[in-house]
Amino acid sequence: MKQTILVALILMFSFQLKAQKNELQEEIYENRLDSLIEDVVFGDDELSYLFGYKDNMQFLYMRSSYDSRTFYAGREIGESLYNMTGQLYYLNSNGIFAGLAGAWYDQIDPAYQMTVISLGYSKGMKKAKFFRYRASFDYYLYHNSDPDFDPTYSSGLNLGTTFKTKTIGTRLNASFLLGDDIGSHLSADVYAYLTLLKLNRFNKLRLEPELTFYFGSESVAMAEYDNLGNLFADPLLSASYTDKFGMMNTQLEIPLSLTYKGFDFEVSWTHNFPRSLDPNLLYPENSFVSFSVGYIFNL
């Protein structure tokens, strides 16, 4: 029975990938950038403190990372498909940030399809320092020579808030893909900082567990019936499809982070608990590991 469900899952997901290939790949890229901004620029004390630190302070932040497997909302894309990303960000203490980001996938042709240009603003409340809000706009530059390639999305809008103390916090994020169609996803994060070794204010070794709840849309099979009202024998093969919005994944991430003299190194283990919005499908739990290195310097 488990093998039957797994085969049906693979066939169904393969069908959806072919039917929505462009849209799915664009969402993967957009999610990578959104994740970087939320988890690194705003979720890290060593970087978020720069907004409002001093007037007219400017910084550049460079980061590269590697993921052993690639997922979208807990659904694996490809078989053991690893990816590498690169980012370059300009940060201003007045709250303005801008950046470039791109990702390379080893089983997608072309492997590098898109560069994302981002411009945004982050602001904290003077009388409520535990609260911060932000907004950013993304523009997508595609690198695909296929004359039949017609991207669904051309840009994206991201909105979010952060509530945090020195050791715990939560983030609420909303992202909208814009173009010929409109896509949206929401996420809520709960995270903590556990300092294992502290050399000074900014040089430290920390454990940063995080739990994320992801909400988005998924194509769901709608059961079809014959003229007598009987359900077709195989609803997966005979059904039509519609988009359904709901919670798609719960993600547990446990990163070990080291910051030292402008560098930050991180190794992370992530486990997904995907939730199918289609009652005919089951997605297996899965895990992957990530490595990243970043460096920040002032201008």
Side-chain angles (χ1 to χ4, degrees):
M1 182 63 178
K2 292 183 179 179
Q3 291 180 343
T4 302
I5 294 176
L6 181 59
V7 171
L9 170 62
I10 294 172
L11 292 175
M12 175 63 66
F13 196 52
S14 297
F15 170 79
Q16 294 180 23
L17 280 177
K18 292 177 181 178
Q20 302 175 353
K21 180 179 178 181
N22 293 345
E23 180 177 347
L24 185 57
Q25 289 183 2
E26 292 166 45
E27 290 193 20
I28 293 172
Y29 273 84
E30 195 278 343
N31 285 340
R32 293 292 294 159
L33 177 61
D34 181 65
S35 175
L36 175 77
I37 292 176
E38 304 305 332
D39 296 340
V40 178
V41 179
F42 300 119
D44 191 287
D45 286 342
E46 278 66 45
L47 292 178
S48 63
Y49 87 98
L50 297 176
F51 297 111
Y53 180 63
K54 288 183 180 180
D55 290 338
N56 300 321
M57 292 288 289
Q58 302 178 79
F59 305 87
L60 280 181
Y61 179 70
M62 300 179 294
R63 181 183 174 94
S64 60
S65 61
Y66 163 85
D67 291 347
S68 63
R69 299 166 70 186
T70 300
F71 294 88
Y72 171 70
R75 285 82 166 143
E76 186 170 16
I77 308 301
E79 183 177 351
S80 299
L81 168 64
Y82 69 86
N83 68 81
M84 302 180 66
T85 64
Q87 302 89 18
L88 175 64
Y89 284 96
Y90 163 83
L91 309 173
N92 188 293
S93 59
N94 292 325
I96 298 172
F97 64 91
L100 300 172
W104 182 90
Y105 297 88
D106 70 315
Q107 298 176 29
I108 295 179
D109 185 24
Y112 186 88
Q113 289 202 12
M114 182 193 300
T115 300
V116 183
I117 303 175
S118 181
L119 177 64
Y121 181 76
S122 174
K123 185 70 174 180
M125 307 295 290
K126 292 183 179 180
K127 296 184 178 180
K129 295 183 179 180
F130 61 88
F131 175 76
R132 178 174 293 277
Y133 63 89
R134 56 191 171 273
S136 64
F137 179 79
D138 304 331
Y139 181 73
Y140 308 143
L141 293 176
Y142 293 95
H143 313 288
N144 194 319
S145 58
D146 187 350
D148 296 326
F149 178 73
D150 184 17
T152 304
Y153 304 114
S154 59
S155 58
L157 176 65
N158 308 298
L159 305 172
T161 59
T162 297
F163 303 83
K164 72 174 183 178
T165 65
K166 291 183 178 181
T167 57
I168 60 174
T170 181
R171 289 186 291 266
L172 303 175
N173 308 301
S175 296
F176 305 92
L177 301 175
L178 309 176
D180 295 337
D181 196 2
I182 297 178
S184 63
H185 63 263
L186 307 173
S187 66
D189 308 339
V190 180
Y191 60 92
Y193 293 129
L194 306 175
T195 300
L196 304 179
L197 177 64
K198 186 174 183 180
L199 302 177
N200 55 42
R201 182 181 178 186
F202 302 117
N203 298 331
K204 63 190 72 173
L205 179 67
R206 297 192 307 188
L207 196 64
E208 305 173 358
E210 180 175 334
L211 187 65
T212 302
F213 303 93
Y214 181 90
F215 299 82
S217 297
E218 184 176 20
S219 293
V220 175
M222 303 295 292
E224 294 186 351
Y225 299 84
D226 59 22
N227 294 332
L228 298 177
N230 297 316
L231 181 67
F232 282 112
D234 193 340
L236 288 177
L237 299 179
S238 63
S240 57
Y241 296 87
T242 186
D243 288 338
K244 185 177 180 180
F245 187 91
M247 189 173 77
M248 300 178 67
N249 189 39
T250 301
Q251 183 180 86
L252 174 64
E253 183 178 5
I254 303 179
L256 182 64
S257 174
L258 172 65
T259 55
Y260 185 73
K261 293 185 177 181
F263 285 94
D264 63 82
F265 305 90
E266 183 176 286
V267 56
S268 176
W269 175 79
T270 302
H271 190 79
N272 291 309
F273 302 88
R275 176 178 178 268
S276 177
L277 301 181
D278 190 331
N280 298 308
L281 293 178
L282 293 175
Y283 292 105
E285 295 182 16
N286 49 73
S287 301
F288 66 98
V289 295
S290 304
F291 305 92
S292 68
V293 58
Y295 182 74
I296 188 168
F297 55 93
N298 59 336
L299 300 177

mmCIF file of all heavy atoms in Angstrom, residues 98-128:
data_model
loop_
_atom_site.group_PDB
_atom_site.id
_atom_site.type_symbol
_atom_site.label_atom_id
_atom_site.label_comp_id
_atom_site.label_asym_id
_atom_site.label_seq_id
_atom_site.Cartn_x
_atom_site.Cartn_y
_atom_site.Cartn_z
ATOM 1 N N ALA A 98 19.328 46.717 -0.391
ATOM 2 C CA ALA A 98 19.181 46.311 -1.783
ATOM 3 C C ALA A 98 20.105 45.130 -2.016
ATOM 4 O O ALA A 98 21.147 44.999 -1.352
ATOM 5 C CB ALA A 98 19.523 47.459 -2.735
ATOM 6 N N GLY A 99 19.740 44.261 -2.956
ATOM 7 C CA GLY A 99 20.579 43.099 -3.153
ATOM 8 C C GLY A 99 20.346 42.361 -4.439
ATOM 9 O O GLY A 99 19.375 42.602 -5.169
ATOM 10 N N LEU A 100 21.278 41.450 -4.719
ATOM 11 C CA LEU A 100 21.202 40.531 -5.838
ATOM 12 C C LEU A 100 21.286 39.114 -5.293
ATOM 13 O O LEU A 100 22.050 38.847 -4.358
ATOM 14 C CB LEU A 100 22.354 40.757 -6.825
ATOM 15 C CG LEU A 100 22.470 42.126 -7.487
ATOM 16 C CD1 LEU A 100 23.781 42.207 -8.275
ATOM 17 C CD2 LEU A 100 21.287 42.371 -8.417
ATOM 18 N N ALA A 101 20.521 38.198 -5.865
ATOM 19 C CA ALA A 101 20.567 36.805 -5.424
ATOM 20 C C ALA A 101 20.307 35.890 -6.608
ATOM 21 O O ALA A 101 19.576 36.235 -7.541
ATOM 22 C CB ALA A 101 19.540 36.551 -4.315
ATOM 23 N N GLY A 102 20.915 34.724 -6.566
ATOM 24 C CA GLY A 102 20.697 33.725 -7.601
ATOM 25 C C GLY A 102 20.974 32.346 -7.049
ATOM 26 O O GLY A 102 21.640 32.190 -6.025
ATOM 27 N N ALA A 103 20.444 31.322 -7.718
ATOM 28 C CA ALA A 103 20.622 29.937 -7.269
ATOM 29 C C ALA A 103 20.959 29.051 -8.457
ATOM 30 O O ALA A 103 20.469 29.249 -9.569
ATOM 31 C CB ALA A 103 19.367 29.430 -6.568
ATOM 32 N N TRP A 104 21.798 28.069 -8.199
ATOM 33 C CA TRP A 104 22.220 27.091 -9.210
ATOM 34 C C TRP A 104 21.733 25.715 -8.773
ATOM 35 O O TRP A 104 21.947 25.298 -7.630
ATOM 36 C CB TRP A 104 23.737 27.104 -9.334
ATOM 37 C CG TRP A 104 24.290 26.186 -10.378
ATOM 38 C CD1 TRP A 104 24.533 26.470 -11.692
ATOM 39 C CD2 TRP A 104 24.678 24.809 -10.191
ATOM 40 N NE1 TRP A 104 25.053 25.368 -12.338
ATOM 41 C CE2 TRP A 104 25.139 24.333 -11.436
ATOM 42 C CE3 TRP A 104 24.662 23.945 -9.106
ATOM 43 C CZ2 TRP A 104 25.595 23.039 -11.621
ATOM 44 C CZ3 TRP A 104 25.104 22.641 -9.278
ATOM 45 C CH2 TRP A 104 25.565 22.206 -10.523
ATOM 46 N N TYR A 105 21.055 24.987 -9.698
ATOM 47 C CA TYR A 105 20.509 23.662 -9.413
ATOM 48 C C TYR A 105 21.164 22.642 -10.343
ATOM 49 O O TYR A 105 21.232 22.852 -11.559
ATOM 50 C CB TYR A 105 18.990 23.654 -9.617
ATOM 51 C CG TYR A 105 18.259 24.589 -8.680
ATOM 52 C CD1 TYR A 105 18.054 25.919 -9.030
ATOM 53 C CD2 TYR A 105 17.793 24.148 -7.457
ATOM 54 C CE1 TYR A 105 17.391 26.785 -8.171
ATOM 55 C CE2 TYR A 105 17.127 25.003 -6.593
ATOM 56 C CZ TYR A 105 16.922 26.316 -6.957
ATOM 57 O OH TYR A 105 16.277 27.181 -6.100
ATOM 58 N N ASP A 106 21.609 21.516 -9.801
ATOM 59 C CA ASP A 106 22.435 20.604 -10.592
ATOM 60 C C ASP A 106 21.643 19.772 -11.584
ATOM 61 O O ASP A 106 22.218 19.195 -12.495
ATOM 62 C CB ASP A 106 23.230 19.676 -9.661
ATOM 63 C CG ASP A 106 22.359 18.659 -8.952
ATOM 64 O OD1 ASP A 106 21.288 19.032 -8.440
ATOM 65 O OD2 ASP A 106 22.739 17.476 -8.900
ATOM 66 N N GLN A 107 20.292 19.679 -11.463
ATOM 67 C CA GLN A 107 19.517 18.849 -12.379
ATOM 68 C C GLN A 107 18.500 19.641 -13.201
ATOM 69 O O GLN A 107 17.650 19.057 -13.857
ATOM 70 C CB GLN A 107 18.781 17.756 -11.592
ATOM 71 C CG GLN A 107 19.697 16.782 -10.859
ATOM 72 C CD GLN A 107 18.926 15.792 -10.027
ATOM 73 O OE1 GLN A 107 17.791 15.444 -10.336
ATOM 74 N NE2 GLN A 107 19.528 15.318 -8.943
ATOM 75 N N ILE A 108 18.567 20.968 -13.163
ATOM 76 C CA ILE A 108 17.637 21.805 -13.922
ATOM 77 C C ILE A 108 18.390 22.427 -15.089
ATOM 78 O O ILE A 108 19.523 22.872 -14.948
ATOM 79 C CB ILE A 108 17.016 22.891 -13.029
ATOM 80 C CG1 ILE A 108 16.149 22.251 -11.945
ATOM 81 C CG2 ILE A 108 16.191 23.868 -13.848
ATOM 82 C CD1 ILE A 108 15.510 23.243 -10.995
ATOM 83 N N ASP A 109 17.782 22.450 -16.258
ATOM 84 C CA ASP A 109 18.408 22.977 -17.468
ATOM 85 C C ASP A 109 17.638 24.209 -17.952
ATOM 86 O O ASP A 109 16.465 24.108 -18.302
ATOM 87 C CB ASP A 109 18.433 21.916 -18.569
ATOM 88 C CG ASP A 109 19.194 22.378 -19.802
ATOM 89 O OD1 ASP A 109 20.057 23.281 -19.664
ATOM 90 O OD2 ASP A 109 18.894 21.854 -20.893
ATOM 91 N N PRO A 110 18.256 25.406 -17.985
ATOM 92 C CA PRO A 110 19.615 25.689 -17.523
ATOM 93 C C PRO A 110 19.679 25.700 -16.000
ATOM 94 O O PRO A 110 18.690 25.996 -15.331
ATOM 95 C CB PRO A 110 19.897 27.073 -18.097
ATOM 96 C CG PRO A 110 18.546 27.707 -18.222
ATOM 97 C CD PRO A 110 17.601 26.589 -18.559
ATOM 98 N N ALA A 111 20.863 25.381 -15.481
ATOM 99 C CA ALA A 111 21.030 25.267 -14.034
ATOM 100 C C ALA A 111 20.855 26.608 -13.334
ATOM 101 O O ALA A 111 20.362 26.666 -12.204
ATOM 102 C CB ALA A 111 22.413 24.685 -13.716
ATOM 103 N N TYR A 112 21.271 27.677 -13.991
ATOM 104 C CA TYR A 112 21.084 29.021 -13.435
ATOM 105 C C TYR A 112 20.080 29.755 -14.316
ATOM 106 O O TYR A 112 20.372 30.084 -15.468
ATOM 107 C CB TYR A 112 22.410 29.772 -13.391
ATOM 108 C CG TYR A 112 22.322 31.118 -12.703
ATOM 109 C CD1 TYR A 112 22.491 31.222 -11.320
ATOM 110 C CD2 TYR A 112 22.046 32.284 -13.416
ATOM 111 C CE1 TYR A 112 22.398 32.445 -10.684
ATOM 112 C CE2 TYR A 112 21.948 33.512 -12.784
ATOM 113 C CZ TYR A 112 22.125 33.593 -11.423
ATOM 114 O OH TYR A 112 22.023 34.810 -10.790
ATOM 115 N N GLN A 113 18.890 29.987 -13.802
ATOM 116 C CA GLN A 113 17.817 30.535 -14.624
ATOM 117 C C GLN A 113 17.435 31.960 -14.293
ATOM 118 O O GLN A 113 16.818 32.635 -15.108
ATOM 119 C CB GLN A 113 16.558 29.665 -14.497
ATOM 120 C CG GLN A 113 16.665 28.314 -15.158
ATOM 121 C CD GLN A 113 15.306 27.731 -15.472
ATOM 122 O OE1 GLN A 113 14.285 28.401 -15.407
ATOM 123 N NE2 GLN A 113 15.284 26.469 -15.818
ATOM 124 N N MET A 114 17.739 32.435 -13.111
ATOM 125 C CA MET A 114 17.179 33.709 -12.690
ATOM 126 C C MET A 114 18.112 34.456 -11.742
ATOM 127 O O MET A 114 18.772 33.859 -10.899
ATOM 128 C CB MET A 114 15.839 33.462 -11.976
ATOM 129 C CG MET A 114 15.121 34.729 -11.517
ATOM 130 S SD MET A 114 13.756 34.361 -10.378
ATOM 131 C CE MET A 114 12.733 33.335 -11.425
ATOM 132 N N THR A 115 18.153 35.782 -11.907
ATOM 133 C CA THR A 115 18.768 36.676 -10.942
ATOM 134 C C THR A 115 17.661 37.531 -10.343
ATOM 135 O O THR A 115 16.827 38.071 -11.075
ATOM 136 C CB THR A 115 19.821 37.581 -11.587
ATOM 137 O OG1 THR A 115 20.849 36.769 -12.163
ATOM 138 C CG2 THR A 115 20.431 38.530 -10.571
ATOM 139 N N VAL A 116 17.637 37.628 -9.022
ATOM 140 C CA VAL A 116 16.604 38.388 -8.337
ATOM 141 C C VAL A 116 17.218 39.672 -7.796
ATOM 142 O O VAL A 116 18.216 39.644 -7.084
ATOM 143 C CB VAL A 116 15.976 37.578 -7.189
ATOM 144 C CG1 VAL A 116 14.847 38.366 -6.534
ATOM 145 C CG2 VAL A 116 15.475 36.246 -7.697
ATOM 146 N N ILE A 117 16.629 40.801 -8.174
ATOM 147 C CA ILE A 117 17.045 42.109 -7.678
ATOM 148 C C ILE A 117 16.030 42.545 -6.632
ATOM 149 O O ILE A 117 14.823 42.546 -6.888
ATOM 150 C CB ILE A 117 17.119 43.143 -8.811
ATOM 151 C CG1 ILE A 117 18.081 42.671 -9.905
ATOM 152 C CG2 ILE A 117 17.547 44.500 -8.280
ATOM 153 C CD1 ILE A 117 18.103 43.583 -11.113
ATOM 154 N N SER A 118 16.521 42.916 -5.458
ATOM 155 C CA SER A 118 15.625 43.240 -4.350
ATOM 156 C C SER A 118 15.924 44.623 -3.799
ATOM 157 O O SER A 118 17.084 45.031 -3.685
ATOM 158 C CB SER A 118 15.767 42.199 -3.232
ATOM 159 O OG SER A 118 14.896 42.476 -2.166
ATOM 160 N N LEU A 119 14.860 45.351 -3.457
ATOM 161 C CA LEU A 119 14.966 46.664 -2.825
ATOM 162 C C LEU A 119 13.940 46.726 -1.708
ATOM 163 O O LEU A 119 12.766 46.400 -1.915
ATOM 164 C CB LEU A 119 14.716 47.785 -3.834
ATOM 165 C CG LEU A 119 14.725 49.215 -3.282
ATOM 166 C CD1 LEU A 119 16.114 49.569 -2.745
ATOM 167 C CD2 LEU A 119 14.283 50.210 -4.354
ATOM 168 N N GLY A 120 14.376 47.131 -0.512
ATOM 169 C CA GLY A 120 13.438 47.114 0.599
ATOM 170 C C GLY A 120 13.776 48.097 1.697
ATOM 171 O O GLY A 120 14.769 48.835 1.634
ATOM 172 N N TYR A 121 12.920 48.075 2.731
ATOM 173 C CA TYR A 121 13.058 48.995 3.857
ATOM 174 C C TYR A 121 12.636 48.283 5.129
ATOM 175 O O TYR A 121 11.638 47.547 5.146
ATOM 176 C CB TYR A 121 12.182 50.232 3.638
ATOM 177 C CG TYR A 121 12.271 51.249 4.751
ATOM 178 C CD1 TYR A 121 13.368 52.087 4.867
ATOM 179 C CD2 TYR A 121 11.237 51.368 5.684
ATOM 180 C CE1 TYR A 121 13.458 53.024 5.888
ATOM 181 C CE2 TYR A 121 11.307 52.310 6.699
ATOM 182 C CZ TYR A 121 12.424 53.139 6.798
ATOM 183 O OH TYR A 121 12.493 54.058 7.815
ATOM 184 N N SER A 122 13.392 48.492 6.200
ATOM 185 C CA SER A 122 13.081 47.906 7.498
ATOM 186 C C SER A 122 13.134 48.998 8.559
ATOM 187 O O SER A 122 14.026 49.854 8.544
ATOM 188 C CB SER A 122 14.082 46.802 7.841
ATOM 189 O OG SER A 122 13.872 46.318 9.148
ATOM 190 N N LYS A 123 12.179 48.971 9.471
ATOM 191 C CA LYS A 123 12.098 50.012 10.496
ATOM 192 C C LYS A 123 11.660 49.416 11.821
ATOM 193 O O LYS A 123 10.755 48.590 11.867
ATOM 194 C CB LYS A 123 11.106 51.091 10.058
ATOM 195 C CG LYS A 123 11.037 52.296 10.999
ATOM 196 C CD LYS A 123 12.291 53.139 10.933
ATOM 197 C CE LYS A 123 12.159 54.419 11.750
ATOM 198 N NZ LYS A 123 13.387 55.247 11.683
ATOM 199 N N GLY A 124 12.294 49.863 12.890
ATOM 200 C CA GLY A 124 11.892 49.455 14.228
ATOM 201 C C GLY A 124 11.152 50.577 14.926
ATOM 202 O O GLY A 124 11.225 51.742 14.525
ATOM 203 N N MET A 125 10.444 50.234 15.984
ATOM 204 C CA MET A 125 9.700 51.214 16.760
ATOM 205 C C MET A 125 10.561 51.696 17.930
ATOM 206 O O MET A 125 11.095 50.889 18.689
ATOM 207 C CB MET A 125 8.401 50.599 17.279
ATOM 208 C CG MET A 125 7.543 49.964 16.186
ATOM 209 S SD MET A 125 6.920 51.189 14.995
ATOM 210 C CE MET A 125 5.736 52.051 16.031
ATOM 211 N N LYS A 126 10.698 53.022 18.081
ATOM 212 C CA LYS A 126 11.539 53.570 19.138
ATOM 213 C C LYS A 126 11.015 53.222 20.524
ATOM 214 O O LYS A 126 11.791 52.944 21.441
ATOM 215 C CB LYS A 126 11.647 55.091 18.978
ATOM 216 C CG LYS A 126 12.418 55.533 17.740
ATOM 217 C CD LYS A 126 12.555 57.043 17.691
ATOM 218 C CE LYS A 126 13.351 57.485 16.468
ATOM 219 N NZ LYS A 126 13.492 58.959 16.402
ATOM 220 N N LYS A 127 9.696 53.249 20.688
ATOM 221 C CA LYS A 127 9.108 52.986 22.000
ATOM 222 C C LYS A 127 8.766 51.514 22.206
ATOM 223 O O LYS A 127 8.308 51.133 23.274
ATOM 224 C CB LYS A 127 7.863 53.841 22.192
ATOM 225 C CG LYS A 127 8.144 55.333 22.216
ATOM 226 C CD LYS A 127 6.885 56.134 22.497
ATOM 227 C CE LYS A 127 7.176 57.624 22.568
ATOM 228 N NZ LYS A 127 5.949 58.422 22.856
ATOM 229 N N ALA A 128 8.976 50.723 21.174
ATOM 230 C CA ALA A 128 8.724 49.280 21.275
ATOM 231 C C ALA A 128 9.813 48.571 20.480
ATOM 232 O O ALA A 128 9.598 48.112 19.359
ATOM 233 C CB ALA A 128 7.335 48.928 20.743
#
